[in-house]
PDB file of all heavy atoms in Angstrom:
ATOM      1  N   ALA A   1       0.828  -1.211   0.000  1.00 98.00           N
ATOM      2  CA  ALA A   1       0.000   0.000   0.000  1.00 98.00           C
ATOM      3  C   ALA A   1       0.857   1.254   0.000  1.00 98.00           C
ATOM      4  O   ALA A   1       0.504   2.266  -0.619  1.00 98.00           O
ATOM      5  CB  ALA A   1      -0.928  -0.010   1.212  1.00 98.00           C
ATOM      6  N   LEU A   2       1.994   1.211   0.692  1.00 98.00           N
ATOM      7  CA  LEU A   2       2.916   2.346   0.725  1.00 98.00           C
ATOM      8  C   LEU A   2       3.433   2.681  -0.667  1.00 98.00           C
ATOM      9  O   LEU A   2       3.415   3.848  -1.081  1.00 98.00           O
ATOM     10  CB  LEU A   2       4.084   2.022   1.662  1.00 98.00           C
ATOM     11  CG  LEU A   2       5.292   2.961   1.615  1.00 98.00           C
ATOM     12  CD1 LEU A   2       4.921   4.339   2.151  1.00 98.00           C
ATOM     13  CD2 LEU A   2       6.454   2.355   2.426  1.00 98.00           C
ATOM     14  N   ILE A   3       3.883   1.653  -1.394  1.00 98.00           N
ATOM     15  CA  ILE A   3       4.413   1.892  -2.739  1.00 98.00           C
ATOM     16  C   ILE A   3       3.296   2.408  -3.652  1.00 98.00           C
ATOM     17  O   ILE A   3       3.511   3.343  -4.443  1.00 98.00           O
ATOM     18  CB  ILE A   3       5.028   0.601  -3.327  1.00 98.00           C
ATOM     19  CG1 ILE A   3       6.059  -0.002  -2.371  1.00 98.00           C
ATOM     20  CG2 ILE A   3       5.642   0.886  -4.692  1.00 98.00           C
ATOM     21  CD1 ILE A   3       7.161   0.928  -1.960  1.00 98.00           C
ATOM     22  N   ALA A   4       2.118   1.823  -3.527  1.00 98.00           N
ATOM     23  CA  ALA A   4       0.991   2.265  -4.352  1.00 98.00           C
ATOM     24  C   ALA A   4       0.634   3.718  -4.064  1.00 98.00           C
ATOM     25  O   ALA A   4       0.336   4.496  -4.984  1.00 98.00           O
ATOM     26  CB  ALA A   4      -0.213   1.357  -4.107  1.00 98.00           C
ATOM     27  N   ALA A   5       0.669   4.115  -2.778  1.00 98.00           N
ATOM     28  CA  ALA A   5       0.345   5.498  -2.411  1.00 98.00           C
ATOM     29  C   ALA A   5       1.375   6.474  -2.974  1.00 98.00           C
ATOM     30  O   ALA A   5       1.028   7.556  -3.449  1.00 98.00           O
ATOM     31  CB  ALA A   5       0.268   5.625  -0.891  1.00 98.00           C
ATOM     32  N   ALA A   6       2.635   6.086  -2.925  1.00 98.00           N
ATOM     33  CA  ALA A   6       3.694   6.947  -3.458  1.00 98.00           C
ATOM     34  C   ALA A   6       3.502   7.180  -4.955  1.00 98.00           C
ATOM     35  O   ALA A   6       3.603   8.324  -5.443  1.00 98.00           O
ATOM     36  CB  ALA A   6       5.063   6.317  -3.188  1.00 98.00           C
ATOM     37  N   VAL A   7       3.220   6.107  -5.692  1.00 98.00           N
ATOM     38  CA  VAL A   7       3.059   6.211  -7.142  1.00 98.00           C
ATOM     39  C   VAL A   7       1.774   6.958  -7.494  1.00 98.00           C
ATOM     40  O   VAL A   7       1.748   7.770  -8.430  1.00 98.00           O
ATOM     41  CB  VAL A   7       3.094   4.811  -7.785  1.00 98.00           C
ATOM     42  CG1 VAL A   7       2.803   4.888  -9.277  1.00 98.00           C
ATOM     43  CG2 VAL A   7       4.457   4.158  -7.543  1.00 98.00           C
ATOM     44  N   ALA A   8       0.714   6.703  -6.712  1.00 98.00           N
ATOM     45  CA  ALA A   8      -0.546   7.394  -6.978  1.00 98.00           C
ATOM     46  C   ALA A   8      -0.407   8.898  -6.786  1.00 98.00           C
ATOM     47  O   ALA A   8      -0.966   9.695  -7.551  1.00 98.00           O
ATOM     48  CB  ALA A   8      -1.639   6.842  -6.058  1.00 98.00           C
ATOM     49  N   ARG A   9       0.356   9.312  -5.766  1.00 98.00           N
ATOM     50  CA  ARG A   9       0.494  10.742  -5.490  1.00 98.00           C
ATOM     51  C   ARG A   9       1.482  11.429  -6.433  1.00 98.00           C
ATOM     52  O   ARG A   9       1.220  12.522  -6.924  1.00 98.00           O
ATOM     53  CB  ARG A   9       0.961  10.931  -4.041  1.00 98.00           C
ATOM     54  CG  ARG A   9       1.321  12.373  -3.662  1.00 98.00           C
ATOM     55  CD  ARG A   9       0.125  13.308  -3.608  1.00 98.00           C
ATOM     56  NE  ARG A   9      -0.733  12.964  -2.515  1.00 98.00           N
ATOM     57  CZ  ARG A   9      -0.603  13.466  -1.266  1.00 98.00           C
ATOM     58  NH1 ARG A   9       0.357  14.329  -0.999  1.00 98.00           N
ATOM     59  NH2 ARG A   9      -1.439  13.106  -0.315  1.00 98.00           N
ATOM     60  N   PHE A  10       2.615  10.765  -6.701  1.00 98.00           N
ATOM     61  CA  PHE A  10       3.702  11.457  -7.393  1.00 98.00           C
ATOM     62  C   PHE A  10       4.065  10.870  -8.760  1.00 98.00           C
ATOM     63  O   PHE A  10       4.955  11.381  -9.428  1.00 98.00           O
ATOM     64  CB  PHE A  10       4.941  11.496  -6.506  1.00 98.00           C
ATOM     65  CG  PHE A  10       4.728  12.240  -5.214  1.00 98.00           C
ATOM     66  CD1 PHE A  10       4.883  11.604  -3.994  1.00 98.00           C
ATOM     67  CD2 PHE A  10       4.360  13.574  -5.219  1.00 98.00           C
ATOM     68  CE1 PHE A  10       4.691  12.285  -2.805  1.00 98.00           C
ATOM     69  CE2 PHE A  10       4.162  14.273  -4.035  1.00 98.00           C
ATOM     70  CZ  PHE A  10       4.323  13.624  -2.816  1.00 98.00           C
ATOM     71  N   GLY A  11       3.400   9.780  -9.173  1.00 98.00           N
ATOM     72  CA  GLY A  11       3.567   9.289 -10.536  1.00 98.00           C
ATOM     73  C   GLY A  11       4.546   8.155 -10.728  1.00 98.00           C
ATOM     74  O   GLY A  11       4.335   7.288 -11.569  1.00 98.00           O
ATOM     75  N   GLN A  12       5.650   8.141  -9.959  1.00 97.00           N
ATOM     76  CA  GLN A  12       6.593   7.048 -10.052  1.00 97.00           C
ATOM     77  C   GLN A  12       7.466   7.032  -8.799  1.00 97.00           C
ATOM     78  O   GLN A  12       7.328   7.883  -7.911  1.00 97.00           O
ATOM     79  CB  GLN A  12       7.464   7.146 -11.295  1.00 97.00           C
ATOM     80  CG  GLN A  12       8.431   8.316 -11.350  1.00 97.00           C
ATOM     81  CD  GLN A  12       9.283   8.248 -12.620  1.00 97.00           C
ATOM     82  OE1 GLN A  12       8.826   7.842 -13.680  1.00 97.00           O
ATOM     83  NE2 GLN A  12      10.537   8.653 -12.502  1.00 97.00           N
ATOM     84  N   LEU A  13       8.373   6.070  -8.737  1.00 98.00           N
ATOM     85  CA  LEU A  13       9.277   5.932  -7.602  1.00 98.00           C
ATOM     86  C   LEU A  13      10.701   5.958  -8.140  1.00 98.00           C
ATOM     87  O   LEU A  13      11.139   5.013  -8.791  1.00 98.00           O
ATOM     88  CB  LEU A  13       9.003   4.627  -6.857  1.00 98.00           C
ATOM     89  CG  LEU A  13       9.885   4.344  -5.638  1.00 98.00           C
ATOM     90  CD1 LEU A  13       9.697   5.409  -4.561  1.00 98.00           C
ATOM     91  CD2 LEU A  13       9.574   2.961  -5.068  1.00 98.00           C
ATOM     92  N   ASP A  14      11.410   7.036  -7.860  1.00 98.00           N
ATOM     93  CA  ASP A  14      12.765   7.195  -8.396  1.00 98.00           C
ATOM     94  C   ASP A  14      13.836   6.625  -7.479  1.00 98.00           C
ATOM     95  O   ASP A  14      14.785   6.005  -7.955  1.00 98.00           O
ATOM     96  CB  ASP A  14      13.046   8.676  -8.663  1.00 98.00           C
ATOM     97  CG  ASP A  14      12.100   9.254  -9.689  1.00 98.00           C
ATOM     98  OD1 ASP A  14      12.223   8.882 -10.871  1.00 98.00           O
ATOM     99  OD2 ASP A  14      11.216  10.051  -9.315  1.00 98.00           O
ATOM    100  N   CYS A  15      13.699   6.858  -6.185  1.00 98.00           N
ATOM    101  CA  CYS A  15      14.703   6.405  -5.217  1.00 98.00           C
ATOM    102  C   CYS A  15      14.000   5.881  -3.972  1.00 98.00           C
ATOM    103  O   CYS A  15      12.937   6.385  -3.591  1.00 98.00           O
ATOM    104  CB  CYS A  15      15.629   7.539  -4.803  1.00 98.00           C
ATOM    105  SG  CYS A  15      16.428   8.421  -6.155  1.00 98.00           S
ATOM    106  N   ALA A  16      14.610   4.889  -3.342  1.00 99.00           N
ATOM    107  CA  ALA A  16      14.087   4.359  -2.088  1.00 99.00           C
ATOM    108  C   ALA A  16      15.233   4.141  -1.125  1.00 99.00           C
ATOM    109  O   ALA A  16      16.269   3.577  -1.495  1.00 99.00           O
ATOM    110  CB  ALA A  16      13.337   3.052  -2.331  1.00 99.00           C
ATOM    111  N   PHE A  17      15.052   4.582   0.105  1.00 99.00           N
ATOM    112  CA  PHE A  17      16.030   4.392   1.167  1.00 99.00           C
ATOM    113  C   PHE A  17      15.381   3.523   2.231  1.00 99.00           C
ATOM    114  O   PHE A  17      14.553   3.993   3.010  1.00 99.00           O
ATOM    115  CB  PHE A  17      16.460   5.738   1.732  1.00 99.00           C
ATOM    116  CG  PHE A  17      17.457   5.655   2.861  1.00 99.00           C
ATOM    117  CD1 PHE A  17      18.434   4.674   2.909  1.00 99.00           C
ATOM    118  CD2 PHE A  17      17.425   6.595   3.886  1.00 99.00           C
ATOM    119  CE1 PHE A  17      19.350   4.604   3.950  1.00 99.00           C
ATOM    120  CE2 PHE A  17      18.341   6.558   4.917  1.00 99.00           C
ATOM    121  CZ  PHE A  17      19.298   5.550   4.954  1.00 99.00           C
ATOM    122  N   ASN A  18      15.734   2.235   2.232  1.00 99.00           N
ATOM    123  CA  ASN A  18      15.153   1.281   3.176  1.00 99.00           C
ATOM    124  C   ASN A  18      15.972   1.303   4.461  1.00 99.00           C
ATOM    125  O   ASN A  18      16.942   0.582   4.628  1.00 99.00           O
ATOM    126  CB  ASN A  18      15.127  -0.114   2.549  1.00 99.00           C
ATOM    127  CG  ASN A  18      14.238  -0.156   1.326  1.00 99.00           C
ATOM    128  OD1 ASN A  18      13.150   0.421   1.320  1.00 99.00           O
ATOM    129  ND2 ASN A  18      14.687  -0.813   0.274  1.00 99.00           N
ATOM    130  N   ASN A  19      15.530   2.145   5.374  1.00 98.00           N
ATOM    131  CA  ASN A  19      16.308   2.491   6.551  1.00 98.00           C
ATOM    132  C   ASN A  19      15.718   1.961   7.849  1.00 98.00           C
ATOM    133  O   ASN A  19      16.420   1.893   8.861  1.00 98.00           O
ATOM    134  CB  ASN A  19      16.433   4.031   6.604  1.00 98.00           C
ATOM    135  CG  ASN A  19      17.010   4.523   7.896  1.00 98.00           C
ATOM    136  OD1 ASN A  19      18.186   4.308   8.178  1.00 98.00           O
ATOM    137  ND2 ASN A  19      16.196   5.183   8.703  1.00 98.00           N
ATOM    138  N   ALA A  20      14.446   1.562   7.844  1.00 98.00           N
ATOM    139  CA  ALA A  20      13.813   1.111   9.087  1.00 98.00           C
ATOM    140  C   ALA A  20      14.545  -0.097   9.657  1.00 98.00           C
ATOM    141  O   ALA A  20      14.886  -1.037   8.938  1.00 98.00           O
ATOM    142  CB  ALA A  20      12.347   0.762   8.821  1.00 98.00           C
ATOM    143  N   GLY A  21      14.797  -0.047  10.947  1.00 96.00           N
ATOM    144  CA  GLY A  21      15.482  -1.162  11.594  1.00 96.00           C
ATOM    145  C   GLY A  21      15.531  -0.956  13.092  1.00 96.00           C
ATOM    146  O   GLY A  21      15.253   0.140  13.597  1.00 96.00           O
ATOM    147  N   ILE A  22      15.879  -2.010  13.803  1.00 94.00           N
ATOM    148  CA  ILE A  22      15.987  -1.932  15.256  1.00 94.00           C
ATOM    149  C   ILE A  22      17.311  -2.539  15.695  1.00 94.00           C
ATOM    150  O   ILE A  22      17.924  -3.329  14.983  1.00 94.00           O
ATOM    151  CB  ILE A  22      14.823  -2.660  15.962  1.00 94.00           C
ATOM    152  CG1 ILE A  22      14.799  -4.149  15.570  1.00 94.00           C
ATOM    153  CG2 ILE A  22      13.494  -1.979  15.671  1.00 94.00           C
ATOM    154  CD1 ILE A  22      13.859  -4.983  16.421  1.00 94.00           C
ATOM    155  N   GLU A  23      17.739  -2.141  16.892  1.00 89.00           N
ATOM    156  CA  GLU A  23      18.935  -2.686  17.517  1.00 89.00           C
ATOM    157  C   GLU A  23      18.653  -2.741  19.015  1.00 89.00           C
ATOM    158  O   GLU A  23      18.779  -1.735  19.711  1.00 89.00           O
ATOM    159  CB  GLU A  23      20.147  -1.807  17.205  1.00 89.00           C
ATOM    160  CG  GLU A  23      21.477  -2.481  17.427  1.00 89.00           C
ATOM    161  CD  GLU A  23      21.794  -2.699  18.885  1.00 89.00           C
ATOM    162  OE1 GLU A  23      22.129  -1.743  19.579  1.00 89.00           O
ATOM    163  OE2 GLU A  23      21.692  -3.868  19.323  1.00 89.00           O
ATOM    164  N   GLU A  24      18.228  -3.906  19.495  1.00 85.00           N
ATOM    165  CA  GLU A  24      17.783  -4.036  20.889  1.00 85.00           C
ATOM    166  C   GLU A  24      18.573  -5.096  21.636  1.00 85.00           C
ATOM    167  O   GLU A  24      18.102  -5.628  22.638  1.00 85.00           O
ATOM    168  CB  GLU A  24      16.292  -4.380  20.917  1.00 85.00           C
ATOM    169  CG  GLU A  24      15.410  -3.336  20.239  1.00 85.00           C
ATOM    170  CD  GLU A  24      13.954  -3.756  20.176  1.00 85.00           C
ATOM    171  OE1 GLU A  24      13.669  -4.951  20.421  1.00 85.00           O
ATOM    172  OE2 GLU A  24      13.104  -2.890  19.893  1.00 85.00           O
ATOM    173  N   GLU A  25      19.761  -5.397  21.185  1.00 87.00           N
ATOM    174  CA  GLU A  25      20.518  -6.549  21.682  1.00 87.00           C
ATOM    175  C   GLU A  25      21.771  -6.069  22.415  1.00 87.00           C
ATOM    176  O   GLU A  25      22.534  -5.254  21.884  1.00 87.00           O
ATOM    177  CB  GLU A  25      20.912  -7.416  20.486  1.00 87.00           C
ATOM    178  CG  GLU A  25      21.607  -8.709  20.832  1.00 87.00           C
ATOM    179  CD  GLU A  25      21.981  -9.464  19.563  1.00 87.00           C
ATOM    180  OE1 GLU A  25      21.927  -8.866  18.470  1.00 87.00           O
ATOM    181  OE2 GLU A  25      22.340 -10.636  19.682  1.00 87.00           O
ATOM    182  N   HIS A  26      21.975  -6.574  23.625  1.00 88.00           N
ATOM    183  CA  HIS A  26      23.130  -6.135  24.418  1.00 88.00           C
ATOM    184  C   HIS A  26      23.693  -7.283  25.251  1.00 88.00           C
ATOM    185  O   HIS A  26      24.137  -7.083  26.378  1.00 88.00           O
ATOM    186  CB  HIS A  26      22.730  -4.971  25.335  1.00 88.00           C
ATOM    187  CG  HIS A  26      22.150  -3.816  24.590  1.00 88.00           C
ATOM    188  ND1 HIS A  26      22.918  -2.924  23.877  1.00 88.00           N
ATOM    189  CD2 HIS A  26      20.859  -3.436  24.407  1.00 88.00           C
ATOM    190  CE1 HIS A  26      22.134  -2.023  23.302  1.00 88.00           C
ATOM    191  NE2 HIS A  26      20.886  -2.308  23.603  1.00 88.00           N
ATOM    192  N   GLY A  27      23.687  -8.490  24.695  1.00 91.00           N
ATOM    193  CA  GLY A  27      24.203  -9.629  25.435  1.00 91.00           C
ATOM    194  C   GLY A  27      24.799 -10.672  24.512  1.00 91.00           C
ATOM    195  O   GLY A  27      24.644 -10.610  23.292  1.00 91.00           O
ATOM    196  N   ARG A  28      25.488 -11.632  25.117  1.00 95.00           N
ATOM    197  CA  ARG A  28      26.103 -12.687  24.318  1.00 95.00           C
ATOM    198  C   ARG A  28      25.042 -13.573  23.668  1.00 95.00           C
ATOM    199  O   ARG A  28      23.911 -13.653  24.118  1.00 95.00           O
ATOM    200  CB  ARG A  28      27.038 -13.523  25.199  1.00 95.00           C
ATOM    201  CG  ARG A  28      28.249 -12.753  25.695  1.00 95.00           C
ATOM    202  CD  ARG A  28      29.188 -13.657  26.488  1.00 95.00           C
ATOM    203  NE  ARG A  28      30.378 -12.942  26.893  1.00 95.00           N
ATOM    204  CZ  ARG A  28      30.485 -12.239  28.019  1.00 95.00           C
ATOM    205  NH1 ARG A  28      29.456 -12.184  28.862  1.00 95.00           N
ATOM    206  NH2 ARG A  28      31.608 -11.619  28.313  1.00 95.00           N
ATOM    207  N   LEU A  29      25.464 -14.240  22.598  1.00 95.00           N
ATOM    208  CA  LEU A  29      24.523 -14.997  21.772  1.00 95.00           C
ATOM    209  C   LEU A  29      23.697 -15.990  22.591  1.00 95.00           C
ATOM    210  O   LEU A  29      22.483 -16.098  22.415  1.00 95.00           O
ATOM    211  CB  LEU A  29      25.286 -15.726  20.661  1.00 95.00           C
ATOM    212  CG  LEU A  29      24.450 -16.359  19.546  1.00 95.00           C
ATOM    213  CD1 LEU A  29      25.205 -16.331  18.233  1.00 95.00           C
ATOM    214  CD2 LEU A  29      24.081 -17.805  19.888  1.00 95.00           C
ATOM    215  N   ALA A  30      24.328 -16.724  23.517  1.00 95.00           N
ATOM    216  CA  ALA A  30      23.607 -17.742  24.292  1.00 95.00           C
ATOM    217  C   ALA A  30      22.603 -17.136  25.259  1.00 95.00           C
ATOM    218  O   ALA A  30      21.745 -17.850  25.791  1.00 95.00           O
ATOM    219  CB  ALA A  30      24.600 -18.613  25.058  1.00 95.00           C
ATOM    220  N   GLU A  31      22.681 -15.825  25.478  1.00 93.00           N
ATOM    221  CA  GLU A  31      21.758 -15.153  26.390  1.00 93.00           C
ATOM    222  C   GLU A  31      20.530 -14.617  25.678  1.00 93.00           C
ATOM    223  O   GLU A  31      19.583 -14.166  26.327  1.00 93.00           O
ATOM    224  CB  GLU A  31      22.482 -13.999  27.089  1.00 93.00           C
ATOM    225  CG  GLU A  31      23.695 -14.436  27.906  1.00 93.00           C
ATOM    226  CD  GLU A  31      24.578 -13.265  28.297  1.00 93.00           C
ATOM    227  OE1 GLU A  31      24.259 -12.110  27.920  1.00 93.00           O
ATOM    228  OE2 GLU A  31      25.590 -13.499  28.984  1.00 93.00           O
ATOM    229  N   SER A  32      20.522 -14.635  24.345  1.00 92.00           N
ATOM    230  CA  SER A  32      19.405 -14.083  23.594  1.00 92.00           C
ATOM    231  C   SER A  32      18.243 -15.066  23.556  1.00 92.00           C
ATOM    232  O   SER A  32      18.377 -16.234  23.918  1.00 92.00           O
ATOM    233  CB  SER A  32      19.843 -13.716  22.174  1.00 92.00           C
ATOM    234  OG  SER A  32      20.446 -14.815  21.541  1.00 92.00           O
ATOM    235  N   ASP A  33      17.077 -14.580  23.121  1.00 93.00           N
ATOM    236  CA  ASP A  33      15.892 -15.437  23.127  1.00 93.00           C
ATOM    237  C   ASP A  33      15.170 -15.417  21.783  1.00 93.00           C
ATOM    238  O   ASP A  33      15.476 -14.614  20.902  1.00 93.00           O
ATOM    239  CB  ASP A  33      14.932 -15.052  24.259  1.00 93.00           C
ATOM    240  CG  ASP A  33      14.467 -13.607  24.176  1.00 93.00           C
ATOM    241  OD1 ASP A  33      14.266 -13.096  23.059  1.00 93.00           O
ATOM    242  OD2 ASP A  33      14.292 -12.984  25.238  1.00 93.00           O
ATOM    243  N   ASP A  34      14.213 -16.317  21.652  1.00 96.00           N
ATOM    244  CA  ASP A  34      13.485 -16.473  20.386  1.00 96.00           C
ATOM    245  C   ASP A  34      12.751 -15.199  19.982  1.00 96.00           C
ATOM    246  O   ASP A  34      12.731 -14.822  18.799  1.00 96.00           O
ATOM    247  CB  ASP A  34      12.470 -17.613  20.502  1.00 96.00           C
ATOM    248  CG  ASP A  34      13.120 -18.969  20.616  1.00 96.00           C
ATOM    249  OD1 ASP A  34      14.348 -19.026  20.813  1.00 96.00           O
ATOM    250  OD2 ASP A  34      12.395 -19.981  20.531  1.00 96.00           O
ATOM    251  N   ALA A  35      12.143 -14.525  20.957  1.00 96.00           N
ATOM    252  CA  ALA A  35      11.343 -13.343  20.633  1.00 96.00           C
ATOM    253  C   ALA A  35      12.209 -12.238  20.049  1.00 96.00           C
ATOM    254  O   ALA A  35      11.827 -11.577  19.073  1.00 96.00           O
ATOM    255  CB  ALA A  35      10.619 -12.848  21.880  1.00 96.00           C
ATOM    256  N   LEU A  36      13.396 -12.031  20.619  1.00 95.00           N
ATOM    257  CA  LEU A  36      14.301 -11.015  20.104  1.00 95.00           C
ATOM    258  C   LEU A  36      14.759 -11.359  18.688  1.00 95.00           C
ATOM    259  O   LEU A  36      14.785 -10.503  17.802  1.00 95.00           O
ATOM    260  CB  LEU A  36      15.516 -10.863  21.019  1.00 95.00           C
ATOM    261  CG  LEU A  36      16.594  -9.885  20.545  1.00 95.00           C
ATOM    262  CD1 LEU A  36      16.050  -8.474  20.448  1.00 95.00           C
ATOM    263  CD2 LEU A  36      17.808  -9.928  21.478  1.00 95.00           C
ATOM    264  N   PHE A  37      15.116 -12.627  18.484  1.00 97.00           N
ATOM    265  CA  PHE A  37      15.546 -13.063  17.153  1.00 97.00           C
ATOM    266  C   PHE A  37      14.446 -12.817  16.122  1.00 97.00           C
ATOM    267  O   PHE A  37      14.701 -12.246  15.047  1.00 97.00           O
ATOM    268  CB  PHE A  37      15.920 -14.549  17.176  1.00 97.00           C
ATOM    269  CG  PHE A  37      16.418 -15.075  15.859  1.00 97.00           C
ATOM    270  CD1 PHE A  37      17.769 -15.083  15.567  1.00 97.00           C
ATOM    271  CD2 PHE A  37      15.528 -15.549  14.900  1.00 97.00           C
ATOM    272  CE1 PHE A  37      18.234 -15.559  14.347  1.00 97.00           C
ATOM    273  CE2 PHE A  37      15.968 -16.023  13.681  1.00 97.00           C
ATOM    274  CZ  PHE A  37      17.329 -16.028  13.402  1.00 97.00           C
ATOM    275  N   ASP A  38      13.233 -13.238  16.453  1.00 97.00           N
ATOM    276  CA  ASP A  38      12.128 -13.103  15.502  1.00 97.00           C
ATOM    277  C   ASP A  38      11.826 -11.638  15.200  1.00 97.00           C
ATOM    278  O   ASP A  38      11.574 -11.269  14.042  1.00 97.00           O
ATOM    279  CB  ASP A  38      10.874 -13.790  16.046  1.00 97.00           C
ATOM    280  CG  ASP A  38      11.010 -15.304  16.076  1.00 97.00           C
ATOM    281  OD1 ASP A  38      11.925 -15.839  15.424  1.00 97.00           O
ATOM    282  OD2 ASP A  38      10.201 -15.959  16.773  1.00 97.00           O
TER     283      ASP A  38
END
């Protein structure tokens, strides 16, 4: 829907910056859990 809205409003999509992300990890690998990984 996001891409469709962009094209509907402005005609085309010239550039995209896929920047959304999270960083919530502050422990060793064996200390992490399934929910954080997912």
Side-chain angles (χ1 to χ4, degrees):
L2 168 67
I3 307 305
V7 175
R9 173 69 68 89
F10 299 120
Q12 66 177 36
L13 180 62
D14 298 290
C15 307
F17 179 34
N18 297 318
N19 170 69
I22 60 169
E23 198 289 286
E24 301 175 346
E25 185 182 13
H26 304 283
R28 293 184 177 88
L29 191 148
E31 300 166 359
S32 54
D33 58 36
D34 291 11
L36 176 62
F37 182 92
D38 290 345

